[in-house]
Amino acid sequence: LLGYWFGLASRQAERSSYPESHMIGKWHLGFYSWRHVPTARGFASFFGMYGGAEDYYAHTSGGGVDYRNDTRPAAKDDAYSAFTFSREAERVVRRYKADKVARPLFLYLAFQNVHAPQEVPASYYDKPYAHIGNRNRRKFAGMVSCLDEAIGNVTEVFKELGLWDDTLMVFTTDNGGPV
C-alpha cells in the first residue's frame, strides 16, 4: 500500500505544481519490474537503493550491489550512505536553484539511518559516545549523529540559497530503533 501511495503522490506531484520531483535514498517499495521503480512511479530522478538493509559503505545486499542513479548502477564510492545521500540532495537543490525553476521542488529524501545493519564511521561513536558502555547502543547513537549532520547539511543548502523560508520539511521514519 505504501508503494502505491508514493507512486500516486509522486505522479500527482509531477502533474500539478511539482515538475521537479526527485527521490534519494532507500526506496524499499518494490522493484519486481521496471514499472515498480521510483522513476517509473513519477519521480524525475532517483539516486539510492531499491531494497533494504544494505551495507552503508559497500552498498550491497545479498551479495550484489544495490546502488542506483536513476535505473543505471551508480558509480561505486564506498562512502557512508547518509553523506552520499545528503550530497546528492544538495546537488539536486543547487541545480534546482540554478535552473531558476518557478514552480516548487518536491524532494523525497529517505535516509538509510538508523536501519540495520548497524554501521557508522568510528569517529562518530568512539569518542563522542565513549561513556555508553554497550557497543551496539554506542553505534546507534553514532548513526543518529550522522543522520543529524546529514540533515543539517541539506538544511544549510536551502538556507544558503534563500529557499528555506519557502520550504516545508517533514521528518518521518519507517521503523523505530532496534530492540
Side-chain angles (χ1 to χ4, degrees), residues 85-110:
F85 296 157
S86 67
R87 280 193 303 270
E88 181 65 13
E90 292 170 40
R91 189 191 67 74
V92 165
V93 173
R94 288 184 188 287
R95 190 185 72 227
Y96 167 78
K97 179 67 174 182
D99 290 347
K100 297 183 173 110
V101 177
R103 293 187 281 178
L105 166 68
F106 178 80
L107 174 61
Y108 173 52
L109 175 55

PDB file of all heavy atoms in Angstrom, residues 85-110:
ATOM      1  N   PHE A  85      23.886  10.371   0.326  1.00  0.00           N
ATOM      2  CA  PHE A  85      22.530  10.840   0.041  1.00  0.00           C
ATOM      3  C   PHE A  85      22.397  12.344   0.271  1.00  0.00           C
ATOM      4  O   PHE A  85      21.740  13.042  -0.496  1.00  0.00           O
ATOM      5  CB  PHE A  85      21.510  10.074   0.878  1.00  0.00           C
ATOM      6  CG  PHE A  85      21.440   8.599   0.577  1.00  0.00           C
ATOM      7  CD1 PHE A  85      20.961   7.712   1.515  1.00  0.00           C
ATOM      8  CD2 PHE A  85      21.855   8.085  -0.649  1.00  0.00           C
ATOM      9  CE1 PHE A  85      20.893   6.347   1.247  1.00  0.00           C
ATOM     10  CE2 PHE A  85      21.797   6.727  -0.926  1.00  0.00           C
ATOM     11  CZ  PHE A  85      21.311   5.862   0.017  1.00  0.00           C
ATOM     12  N   SER A  86      23.017  12.862   1.330  1.00  0.00           N
ATOM     13  CA  SER A  86      22.912  14.311   1.569  1.00  0.00           C
ATOM     14  C   SER A  86      23.643  15.095   0.486  1.00  0.00           C
ATOM     15  O   SER A  86      23.163  16.143   0.050  1.00  0.00           O
ATOM     16  CB  SER A  86      23.415  14.692   2.963  1.00  0.00           C
ATOM     17  OG  SER A  86      24.795  14.491   3.099  1.00  0.00           O
ATOM     18  N   ARG A  87      24.790  14.587   0.007  1.00  0.00           N
ATOM     19  CA  ARG A  87      25.495  15.278  -1.091  1.00  0.00           C
ATOM     20  C   ARG A  87      24.645  15.296  -2.358  1.00  0.00           C
ATOM     21  O   ARG A  87      24.595  16.303  -3.064  1.00  0.00           O
ATOM     22  CB  ARG A  87      26.846  14.614  -1.368  1.00  0.00           C
ATOM     23  CG  ARG A  87      27.936  15.003  -0.408  1.00  0.00           C
ATOM     24  CD  ARG A  87      29.316  14.586  -0.903  1.00  0.00           C
ATOM     25  NE  ARG A  87      29.439  13.165  -1.164  1.00  0.00           N
ATOM     26  CZ  ARG A  87      29.827  12.253  -0.274  1.00  0.00           C
ATOM     27  NH1 ARG A  87      30.131  12.625   0.954  1.00  0.00           N
ATOM     28  NH2 ARG A  87      29.920  10.990  -0.602  1.00  0.00           N
ATOM     29  N   GLU A  88      23.967  14.198  -2.638  1.00  0.00           N
ATOM     30  CA  GLU A  88      23.097  14.157  -3.825  1.00  0.00           C
ATOM     31  C   GLU A  88      21.919  15.118  -3.658  1.00  0.00           C
ATOM     32  O   GLU A  88      21.547  15.811  -4.594  1.00  0.00           O
ATOM     33  CB  GLU A  88      22.597  12.737  -4.078  1.00  0.00           C
ATOM     34  CG  GLU A  88      21.710  12.597  -5.290  1.00  0.00           C
ATOM     35  CD  GLU A  88      22.386  12.872  -6.617  1.00  0.00           C
ATOM     36  OE1 GLU A  88      23.640  12.944  -6.677  1.00  0.00           O
ATOM     37  OE2 GLU A  88      21.670  13.032  -7.633  1.00  0.00           O
ATOM     38  N   ALA A  89      21.351  15.185  -2.457  1.00  0.00           N
ATOM     39  CA  ALA A  89      20.255  16.125  -2.196  1.00  0.00           C
ATOM     40  C   ALA A  89      20.740  17.558  -2.378  1.00  0.00           C
ATOM     41  O   ALA A  89      20.046  18.390  -2.988  1.00  0.00           O
ATOM     42  CB  ALA A  89      19.699  15.926  -0.794  1.00  0.00           C
ATOM     43  N   GLU A  90      21.921  17.857  -1.877  1.00  0.00           N
ATOM     44  CA  GLU A  90      22.488  19.196  -2.051  1.00  0.00           C
ATOM     45  C   GLU A  90      22.662  19.512  -3.536  1.00  0.00           C
ATOM     46  O   GLU A  90      22.348  20.625  -3.981  1.00  0.00           O
ATOM     47  CB  GLU A  90      23.840  19.292  -1.336  1.00  0.00           C
ATOM     48  CG  GLU A  90      23.737  19.215   0.174  1.00  0.00           C
ATOM     49  CD  GLU A  90      25.088  19.075   0.844  1.00  0.00           C
ATOM     50  OE1 GLU A  90      26.053  19.738   0.406  1.00  0.00           O
ATOM     51  OE2 GLU A  90      25.183  18.287   1.811  1.00  0.00           O
ATOM     52  N   ARG A  91      23.125  18.538  -4.314  1.00  0.00           N
ATOM     53  CA  ARG A  91      23.304  18.725  -5.761  1.00  0.00           C
ATOM     54  C   ARG A  91      21.960  19.017  -6.437  1.00  0.00           C
ATOM     55  O   ARG A  91      21.850  19.930  -7.252  1.00  0.00           O
ATOM     56  CB  ARG A  91      23.957  17.486  -6.375  1.00  0.00           C
ATOM     57  CG  ARG A  91      24.371  17.666  -7.829  1.00  0.00           C
ATOM     58  CD  ARG A  91      24.770  16.354  -8.483  1.00  0.00           C
ATOM     59  NE  ARG A  91      23.646  15.441  -8.625  1.00  0.00           N
ATOM     60  CZ  ARG A  91      22.665  15.573  -9.522  1.00  0.00           C
ATOM     61  NH1 ARG A  91      22.653  16.586 -10.350  1.00  0.00           N
ATOM     62  NH2 ARG A  91      21.679  14.687  -9.573  1.00  0.00           N
ATOM     63  N   VAL A  92      20.929  18.265  -6.084  1.00  0.00           N
ATOM     64  CA  VAL A  92      19.597  18.459  -6.665  1.00  0.00           C
ATOM     65  C   VAL A  92      19.075  19.861  -6.333  1.00  0.00           C
ATOM     66  O   VAL A  92      18.565  20.573  -7.210  1.00  0.00           O
ATOM     67  CB  VAL A  92      18.609  17.373  -6.176  1.00  0.00           C
ATOM     68  CG1 VAL A  92      17.165  17.755  -6.471  1.00  0.00           C
ATOM     69  CG2 VAL A  92      18.947  16.029  -6.805  1.00  0.00           C
ATOM     70  N   VAL A  93      19.223  20.283  -5.089  1.00  0.00           N
ATOM     71  CA  VAL A  93      18.732  21.594  -4.666  1.00  0.00           C
ATOM     72  C   VAL A  93      19.512  22.705  -5.367  1.00  0.00           C
ATOM     73  O   VAL A  93      18.928  23.685  -5.845  1.00  0.00           O
ATOM     74  CB  VAL A  93      18.795  21.742  -3.130  1.00  0.00           C
ATOM     75  CG1 VAL A  93      18.456  23.161  -2.696  1.00  0.00           C
ATOM     76  CG2 VAL A  93      17.861  20.736  -2.467  1.00  0.00           C
ATOM     77  N   ARG A  94      20.824  22.567  -5.468  1.00  0.00           N
ATOM     78  CA  ARG A  94      21.635  23.587  -6.158  1.00  0.00           C
ATOM     79  C   ARG A  94      21.264  23.679  -7.643  1.00  0.00           C
ATOM     80  O   ARG A  94      21.170  24.772  -8.194  1.00  0.00           O
ATOM     81  CB  ARG A  94      23.125  23.295  -5.998  1.00  0.00           C
ATOM     82  CG  ARG A  94      23.643  23.545  -4.602  1.00  0.00           C
ATOM     83  CD  ARG A  94      25.153  23.341  -4.507  1.00  0.00           C
ATOM     84  NE  ARG A  94      25.600  23.390  -3.136  1.00  0.00           N
ATOM     85  CZ  ARG A  94      25.682  24.500  -2.406  1.00  0.00           C
ATOM     86  NH1 ARG A  94      25.362  25.658  -2.936  1.00  0.00           N
ATOM     87  NH2 ARG A  94      26.103  24.451  -1.165  1.00  0.00           N
ATOM     88  N   ARG A  95      21.040  22.519  -8.272  1.00  0.00           N
ATOM     89  CA  ARG A  95      20.650  22.531  -9.685  1.00  0.00           C
ATOM     90  C   ARG A  95      19.272  23.173  -9.853  1.00  0.00           C
ATOM     91  O   ARG A  95      19.047  23.957 -10.772  1.00  0.00           O
ATOM     92  CB  ARG A  95      20.651  21.119 -10.257  1.00  0.00           C
ATOM     93  CG  ARG A  95      20.490  21.127 -11.780  1.00  0.00           C
ATOM     94  CD  ARG A  95      20.374  19.766 -12.387  1.00  0.00           C
ATOM     95  NE  ARG A  95      19.059  19.226 -12.043  1.00  0.00           N
ATOM     96  CZ  ARG A  95      18.844  18.016 -11.592  1.00  0.00           C
ATOM     97  NH1 ARG A  95      19.821  17.173 -11.414  1.00  0.00           N
ATOM     98  NH2 ARG A  95      17.618  17.620 -11.308  1.00  0.00           N
ATOM     99  N   TYR A  96      18.360  22.860  -8.959  1.00  0.00           N
ATOM    100  CA  TYR A  96      17.018  23.448  -8.981  1.00  0.00           C
ATOM    101  C   TYR A  96      17.113  24.971  -8.900  1.00  0.00           C
ATOM    102  O   TYR A  96      16.498  25.687  -9.682  1.00  0.00           O
ATOM    103  CB  TYR A  96      16.206  22.890  -7.819  1.00  0.00           C
ATOM    104  CG  TYR A  96      14.927  23.632  -7.537  1.00  0.00           C
ATOM    105  CD1 TYR A  96      13.795  23.437  -8.331  1.00  0.00           C
ATOM    106  CD2 TYR A  96      14.840  24.524  -6.472  1.00  0.00           C
ATOM    107  CE1 TYR A  96      12.624  24.117  -8.071  1.00  0.00           C
ATOM    108  CE2 TYR A  96      13.676  25.201  -6.208  1.00  0.00           C
ATOM    109  CZ  TYR A  96      12.560  24.994  -7.000  1.00  0.00           C
ATOM    110  OH  TYR A  96      11.408  25.682  -6.742  1.00  0.00           O
ATOM    111  N   LYS A  97      17.912  25.472  -7.974  1.00  0.00           N
ATOM    112  CA  LYS A  97      18.073  26.924  -7.805  1.00  0.00           C
ATOM    113  C   LYS A  97      18.743  27.544  -9.031  1.00  0.00           C
ATOM    114  O   LYS A  97      18.320  28.598  -9.509  1.00  0.00           O
ATOM    115  CB  LYS A  97      18.895  27.210  -6.543  1.00  0.00           C
ATOM    116  CG  LYS A  97      19.153  28.673  -6.278  1.00  0.00           C
ATOM    117  CD  LYS A  97      17.902  29.432  -5.930  1.00  0.00           C
ATOM    118  CE  LYS A  97      18.252  30.859  -5.535  1.00  0.00           C
ATOM    119  NZ  LYS A  97      17.110  31.639  -5.131  1.00  0.00           N
ATOM    120  N   ALA A  98      19.773  26.879  -9.560  1.00  0.00           N
ATOM    121  CA  ALA A  98      20.493  27.403 -10.728  1.00  0.00           C
ATOM    122  C   ALA A  98      19.600  27.458 -11.967  1.00  0.00           C
ATOM    123  O   ALA A  98      19.734  28.358 -12.794  1.00  0.00           O
ATOM    124  CB  ALA A  98      21.728  26.545 -11.018  1.00  0.00           C
ATOM    125  N   ASP A  99      18.683  26.498 -12.076  1.00  0.00           N
ATOM    126  CA  ASP A  99      17.770  26.473 -13.229  1.00  0.00           C
ATOM    127  C   ASP A  99      16.660  27.504 -13.110  1.00  0.00           C
ATOM    128  O   ASP A  99      15.895  27.707 -14.047  1.00  0.00           O
ATOM    129  CB  ASP A  99      17.147  25.078 -13.388  1.00  0.00           C
ATOM    130  CG  ASP A  99      18.157  24.048 -13.857  1.00  0.00           C
ATOM    131  OD1 ASP A  99      19.259  24.440 -14.287  1.00  0.00           O
ATOM    132  OD2 ASP A  99      17.830  22.849 -13.789  1.00  0.00           O
ATOM    133  N   LYS A 100      16.551  28.148 -11.957  1.00  0.00           N
ATOM    134  CA  LYS A 100      15.548  29.188 -11.701  1.00  0.00           C
ATOM    135  C   LYS A 100      14.138  28.716 -12.021  1.00  0.00           C
ATOM    136  O   LYS A 100      13.351  29.400 -12.659  1.00  0.00           O
ATOM    137  CB  LYS A 100      15.890  30.461 -12.482  1.00  0.00           C
ATOM    138  CG  LYS A 100      17.202  31.070 -12.064  1.00  0.00           C
ATOM    139  CD  LYS A 100      17.470  32.369 -12.797  1.00  0.00           C
ATOM    140  CE  LYS A 100      18.684  33.002 -12.210  1.00  0.00           C
ATOM    141  NZ  LYS A 100      19.840  33.029 -12.999  1.00  0.00           N
ATOM    142  N   VAL A 101      13.832  27.506 -11.579  1.00  0.00           N
ATOM    143  CA  VAL A 101      12.500  26.938 -11.790  1.00  0.00           C
ATOM    144  C   VAL A 101      11.499  27.728 -10.958  1.00  0.00           C
ATOM    145  O   VAL A 101      11.717  27.971  -9.779  1.00  0.00           O
ATOM    146  CB  VAL A 101      12.479  25.443 -11.401  1.00  0.00           C
ATOM    147  CG1 VAL A 101      11.089  24.864 -11.538  1.00  0.00           C
ATOM    148  CG2 VAL A 101      13.473  24.668 -12.250  1.00  0.00           C
ATOM    149  N   ALA A 102      10.405  28.146 -11.584  1.00  0.00           N
ATOM    150  CA  ALA A 102       9.422  28.969 -10.894  1.00  0.00           C
ATOM    151  C   ALA A 102       8.470  28.150 -10.027  1.00  0.00           C
ATOM    152  O   ALA A 102       7.804  28.687  -9.161  1.00  0.00           O
ATOM    153  CB  ALA A 102       8.622  29.774 -11.907  1.00  0.00           C
ATOM    154  N   ARG A 103       8.398  26.861 -10.280  1.00  0.00           N
ATOM    155  CA  ARG A 103       7.481  26.021  -9.510  1.00  0.00           C
ATOM    156  C   ARG A 103       8.237  25.274  -8.404  1.00  0.00           C
ATOM    157  O   ARG A 103       9.452  25.133  -8.467  1.00  0.00           O
ATOM    158  CB  ARG A 103       6.760  25.055 -10.444  1.00  0.00           C
ATOM    159  CG  ARG A 103       5.812  25.831 -11.383  1.00  0.00           C
ATOM    160  CD  ARG A 103       4.962  24.930 -12.197  1.00  0.00           C
ATOM    161  NE  ARG A 103       5.743  24.406 -13.314  1.00  0.00           N
ATOM    162  CZ  ARG A 103       5.274  23.557 -14.198  1.00  0.00           C
ATOM    163  NH1 ARG A 103       4.047  23.120 -14.109  1.00  0.00           N
ATOM    164  NH2 ARG A 103       6.021  23.131 -15.182  1.00  0.00           N
ATOM    165  N   PRO A 104       7.513  24.775  -7.415  1.00  0.00           N
ATOM    166  CA  PRO A 104       8.153  24.152  -6.244  1.00  0.00           C
ATOM    167  C   PRO A 104       8.929  22.872  -6.546  1.00  0.00           C
ATOM    168  O   PRO A 104       8.685  22.187  -7.534  1.00  0.00           O
ATOM    169  CB  PRO A 104       6.980  23.838  -5.316  1.00  0.00           C
ATOM    170  CG  PRO A 104       5.840  24.642  -5.808  1.00  0.00           C
ATOM    171  CD  PRO A 104       6.068  24.864  -7.264  1.00  0.00           C
ATOM    172  N   LEU A 105       9.830  22.570  -5.651  1.00  0.00           N
ATOM    173  CA  LEU A 105      10.629  21.351  -5.694  1.00  0.00           C
ATOM    174  C   LEU A 105      10.025  20.346  -4.713  1.00  0.00           C
ATOM    175  O   LEU A 105       9.732  20.689  -3.576  1.00  0.00           O
ATOM    176  CB  LEU A 105      12.067  21.671  -5.269  1.00  0.00           C
ATOM    177  CG  LEU A 105      12.985  20.499  -4.936  1.00  0.00           C
ATOM    178  CD1 LEU A 105      13.301  19.694  -6.189  1.00  0.00           C
ATOM    179  CD2 LEU A 105      14.274  21.009  -4.300  1.00  0.00           C
ATOM    180  N   PHE A 106       9.838  19.093  -5.161  1.00  0.00           N
ATOM    181  CA  PHE A 106       9.422  18.005  -4.284  1.00  0.00           C
ATOM    182  C   PHE A 106      10.603  17.055  -4.188  1.00  0.00           C
ATOM    183  O   PHE A 106      10.998  16.445  -5.182  1.00  0.00           O
ATOM    184  CB  PHE A 106       8.195  17.284  -4.857  1.00  0.00           C
ATOM    185  CG  PHE A 106       7.746  16.120  -4.013  1.00  0.00           C
ATOM    186  CD1 PHE A 106       6.986  16.341  -2.878  1.00  0.00           C
ATOM    187  CD2 PHE A 106       8.069  14.821  -4.362  1.00  0.00           C
ATOM    188  CE1 PHE A 106       6.563  15.271  -2.094  1.00  0.00           C
ATOM    189  CE2 PHE A 106       7.655  13.749  -3.597  1.00  0.00           C
ATOM    190  CZ  PHE A 106       6.893  13.979  -2.461  1.00  0.00           C
ATOM    191  N   LEU A 107      11.201  16.963  -3.002  1.00  0.00           N
ATOM    192  CA  LEU A 107      12.367  16.112  -2.785  1.00  0.00           C
ATOM    193  C   LEU A 107      12.042  15.121  -1.680  1.00  0.00           C
ATOM    194  O   LEU A 107      11.820  15.510  -0.529  1.00  0.00           O
ATOM    195  CB  LEU A 107      13.584  16.954  -2.393  1.00  0.00           C
ATOM    196  CG  LEU A 107      14.845  16.202  -1.987  1.00  0.00           C
ATOM    197  CD1 LEU A 107      15.357  15.318  -3.126  1.00  0.00           C
ATOM    198  CD2 LEU A 107      15.925  17.192  -1.575  1.00  0.00           C
ATOM    199  N   TYR A 108      11.970  13.858  -2.043  1.00  0.00           N
ATOM    200  CA  TYR A 108      11.749  12.793  -1.067  1.00  0.00           C
ATOM    201  C   TYR A 108      13.109  12.194  -0.757  1.00  0.00           C
ATOM    202  O   TYR A 108      13.712  11.528  -1.587  1.00  0.00           O
ATOM    203  CB  TYR A 108      10.786  11.751  -1.640  1.00  0.00           C
ATOM    204  CG  TYR A 108      10.626  10.522  -0.775  1.00  0.00           C
ATOM    205  CD1 TYR A 108      10.303  10.633   0.577  1.00  0.00           C
ATOM    206  CD2 TYR A 108      10.782   9.260  -1.310  1.00  0.00           C
ATOM    207  CE1 TYR A 108      10.158   9.506   1.372  1.00  0.00           C
ATOM    208  CE2 TYR A 108      10.631   8.125  -0.530  1.00  0.00           C
ATOM    209  CZ  TYR A 108      10.320   8.256   0.807  1.00  0.00           C
ATOM    210  OH  TYR A 108      10.177   7.136   1.587  1.00  0.00           O
ATOM    211  N   LEU A 109      13.625  12.478   0.436  1.00  0.00           N
ATOM    212  CA  LEU A 109      14.949  12.040   0.863  1.00  0.00           C
ATOM    213  C   LEU A 109      14.786  11.022   1.983  1.00  0.00           C
ATOM    214  O   LEU A 109      14.435  11.377   3.109  1.00  0.00           O
ATOM    215  CB  LEU A 109      15.759  13.254   1.327  1.00  0.00           C
ATOM    216  CG  LEU A 109      17.136  13.034   1.925  1.00  0.00           C
ATOM    217  CD1 LEU A 109      18.034  12.233   0.988  1.00  0.00           C
ATOM    218  CD2 LEU A 109      17.773  14.387   2.257  1.00  0.00           C
ATOM    219  N   ALA A 110      14.994   9.750   1.663  1.00  0.00           N
ATOM    220  CA  ALA A 110      14.776   8.653   2.607  1.00  0.00           C
ATOM    221  C   ALA A 110      16.119   8.088   3.050  1.00  0.00           C
ATOM    222  O   ALA A 110      16.703   7.242   2.375  1.00  0.00           O
ATOM    223  CB  ALA A 110      13.928   7.566   1.956  1.00  0.00           C
TER     224      ALA A 110
END
